[in-house]
Amino acid sequence: MLNNVKCLVYGYGNPGRQDDGLGVELALRIENDEYLSKYVDVDYNYQLNIEDALTISEYDLVIFADAALNIDNPYELTKIQPAHTITFTTHELSAESILALCQDLYNKKPESYILAIRGYEWEMGLPMTSKAKCNLDDAYTFLTEFIENHFSRCIAGKGI
Amino acid sequence: MARKITIEPVTRVEGHGKVTIQLDPQNNVLDSRFHIVEFRGFERFVQGRPYWEAPVLVQRLCGICPVSHHLAAAKAMDVIVGVGPDGLTPTAEKMRRLMHYGQMFQSHALHFFHLVSPDLLFGVDADPAIRNVIGVAMKFPDLAVQGVMMRKFGQEIIRVTAGKKIHGTGAIPGGINKNLSVQERDEFLKGADPMNIKKMIEWAQAAVNLFKDYHKKNKDFIDSFAAFPSNHLSLVRKDGALDLYHGVLRAVDADGKKILNDVDYQDYLKYVGEEVRSWSYMKFPYLKSLGKKDGWYRVGPLARLNTADFIPTPLAQKEFEEFKAYTNGKPNNMSMHMHWARLIELLHSAEMIEQLLNDPDLQGDKLVAKGTKVKEGVGLIEAPRGTLFHHYRINDNDQIEMANLIVSTTNNNEPMNRAINWVAVNQISGKKEITEGMLNAVEVAIRAYDPCLSCATHAIGKMPLEVTLVDAEGNVVDQKRK
């Protein structure tokens, strides 16, 4: 926490499936970063689920990090709003749905973003592709600056 | 002109499900098929890997029930290291059981609150825009909070027993790598409301009651929807009790006659075959004694309550007696009663967690047993969705040279096809248009079996459901997306 701003980076995906683990890898990097980990909490899992609504309700700023299949850039940050996303007979929930559940159940609406990192291969067990690793490096550098800037704005009274 | 209706959730890697309904020129159903593109690459992937890595490696298979794969592989490796399925130390076996019942509890709670309660609370014909977990959160927030907290409680049990949220390492060949500290135990036994086991049992009982209330008001629908006779297969404890972690293999027919009479699952290949059909990547398991045509069976909560003689915890046993009385002690063949059975197991899992937490063996320090290594081992476990088979053989260099897995959704392949065919024949046949209500009915039939379609991987930008109408010439007549 910095200046009373609680920030969470939540990575999700299956690290056993090549580039699907990009979001989790990003969260682990932050967890192992001596500087960032002082100010930013991390969480990670295979996928988002209903209890994550409770988790994010305790934060002011939440960044969901996930692998992405069809974005044009190495990474893209998108601010998200609560949304009722329908899924078909699966257990998967979107970040927007988690935000909607958080709002409905806990009356909280943390400022939330999806950091989508471009991945390329999703086969079981093989290592992350080199192109995805490059995208992860770029996304990590960007996220570090984004969080620092966000905290700076908060200190200046312009933030959350 | 014949038409083909396709319902296709498009996914990225594995397990995409698709329903195809073939109609004749009068719109009568000719045939229906439920395809799941099962991911089979895992069995090749583990070849050449050291056997002791298997319990961790297999968690790559699935982000929904990694604990079940972790424990099934560990059980197979117990056999390979010569400890056998019954040779674990009490601390190791009970820690694994705690992990497993934590998994069952969170999975069954998730299924009920996330996937089933919207159908029950809003009705299966309700607009899908509200017939979902967020609709429940808006209209029934107390119930939704219960779902969140029950799921979180189970996840915390898994975290302290498996060691990590992703790719847990708790179970190892021959045992376990940690016990449960008194502090960890007391967080579950004495945690502030609602995060304690007493509250979880209370809420699990309430969930059973919620289903029973719905059943009273909707008997015709619950009892008839997608009901069909079948065989049922599961593990049971040697004395016939429901046991989700370990036991012998039992199968009964639709009238309750035993087909497999408590056999050792190490010999499963003597009893279970897998048929390949040209139109599906997923195999169709069957009991060899009955043959391919008649030997198919159901697995999962309904099958387990049909094979077991009793439940060894008091509250769940009371519910079991009511469940059995409803069919005069005979097997229950009603697909929608799968939800009832699942909630009784939810209650049983909570009671089992309480029993285990109060057992001082969990603080023991004998974690691993040793034996004489053999080359082959089979591990079976009752996963949330049904019986899960793991079978491995290793070579002289301790590398895995053969793996065979039969996952719960594969075991339920034929029953899911039958359920969808029931919907097709009873609700779609003869109709000129496919309505939202008909599609909902297909979803409800699939959902009863809780198949694991594609949850292990995901990415931004997928489209979860596509419905396509194709005529006999292959032209797309209509397409709907959800």
Side-chain angles (χ1 to χ4, degrees), chain B residues 183-387:
Chain B
Q183 186 185 355
E184 288 169 331
R185 179 199 67 191
D186 287 349
E187 283 178 18
F188 299 113
L189 281 177
K190 302 172 184 171
D193 268 351
M195 289 298 278
N196 59 67
I197 189 61
K198 290 283 182 209
K199 181 58 78 176
M200 295 300 129
I201 291 172
E202 179 188 323
W203 282 352
Q205 181 70 66
V208 178
N209 294 342
L210 193 155
F211 179 86
K212 289 197 296 187
D213 286 346
Y214 181 84
H215 184 203
K216 272 183 198 162
K217 295 168 190 161
N218 298 275
K219 266 190 192 306
D220 288 347
F221 167 66
I222 290 289
D223 292 356
S224 66
F225 184 86
F228 51 87
S230 75
N231 306 309
H232 302 272
L233 176 140
S234 82
L235 292 176
V236 295
R237 204 166 71 184
K238 284 180 180 170
D239 61 356
L242 177 74
D243 192 326
L244 304 176
Y245 175 75
H246 187 56
V248 289
L249 208 48
R250 179 184 288 184
V252 299
D253 69 13
D255 295 318
K257 184 183 161 199
K258 282 183 185 167
I259 308 166
L260 288 184
N261 194 357
D262 302 354
V263 300
D264 183 349
Y265 64 68
Q266 294 300 316
D267 300 323
Y268 81 100
L269 285 174
K270 284 186 193 169
Y271 310 109
V272 177
E274 290 182 272
E275 182 190 2
V276 176
R277 296 184 192 170
S278 60
W279 53 269
S280 176
Y281 288 102
M282 191 158 73
K283 292 179 181 174
F284 288 77
Y286 63 95
L287 296 166
K288 287 181 175 175
S289 63
L290 298 181
K292 292 176 183 175
K293 181 171 174 285
D294 299 320
W296 59 276
Y297 52 83
R298 280 191 257 215
V299 298
L302 189 69
R304 289 191 284 253
L305 295 205
N306 282 332
T307 54
D309 298 326
F310 66 99
I311 296 181
T313 53
L315 296 176
Q317 170 63 16
K318 192 163 171 252
E319 297 298 333
F320 177 75
E321 288 166 11
E322 189 176 338
F323 179 87
K324 296 297 281 187
Y326 195 73
T327 51
N328 297 315
K330 293 286 186 184
N332 185 324
N333 290 294
M334 295 170 260
S335 288
M336 293 300 283
H337 286 221
M338 187 91 81
H339 300 313
W340 188 3
R342 189 177 288 111
L343 291 170
I344 293 171
E345 287 192 346
L346 175 79
L347 180 58
H348 170 60
S349 297
E351 290 183 288
M352 284 300 299
I353 290 168
E354 184 180 43
Q355 276 187 19
L356 288 161
L357 289 171
N358 282 307
D359 191 326
D361 278 345
L362 288 180
Q363 282 76 51
D365 55 10
K366 290 183 180 166
L367 305 183
V368 181
K370 291 188 175 169
T372 304
K373 201 163 58 188
V374 298
K375 293 286 177 60
E376 198 161 349
V378 178
L380 256 68
I381 200 161
E382 285 298 326
R385 289 152 195 82
T387 316

Side-chain angles (χ1 to χ4, degrees), chain A residues 12-14 17 20 43 45-47 49 51 66 70 84 86 88 90-92 104 114 122 124-125, chain B residues 12-14 39 42 60 64 110 115 128 132 134 138 151 165-167 385 443 450 455-456 458 460:
Chain A
Y12 54 107
N14 186 344
R17 292 271 173 107
D20 200 40
D43 201 350
N45 212 331
Y46 292 103
Q47 59 191 17
N49 228 306
E51 69 274 17
D66 190 14
N70 48 7
H84 295 187
I86 308 302
F88 173 72
T90 76
H91 307 76
E92 187 182 0
D104 293 340
I114 290 179
W122 320 92
M124 184 179 287
Chain B
R12 191 174 62 197
V13 178
E14 50 88 32
F39 189 90
F42 175 77
R60 296 168 186 231
I64 288 294
L110 177 70
L115 295 173
N132 57 54
I134 298 170
M138 292 174 73
R151 163 90 179 161
K165 266 176 134 175
I166 287 185
H167 294 177
R385 289 152 195 82
E443 281 188 64
D450 193 17
C455 303
H458 60 276
I460 299 163

Side-chain angles (χ1 to χ4, degrees), chain B residues 110-127:
Chain B
L110 177 70
H111 184 264
F112 179 69
F113 287 100
H114 183 171
L115 295 173
V116 177
S117 73
D119 289 340
L120 303 189
L121 296 168
F122 298 112
V124 295
D125 293 329
D127 180 357

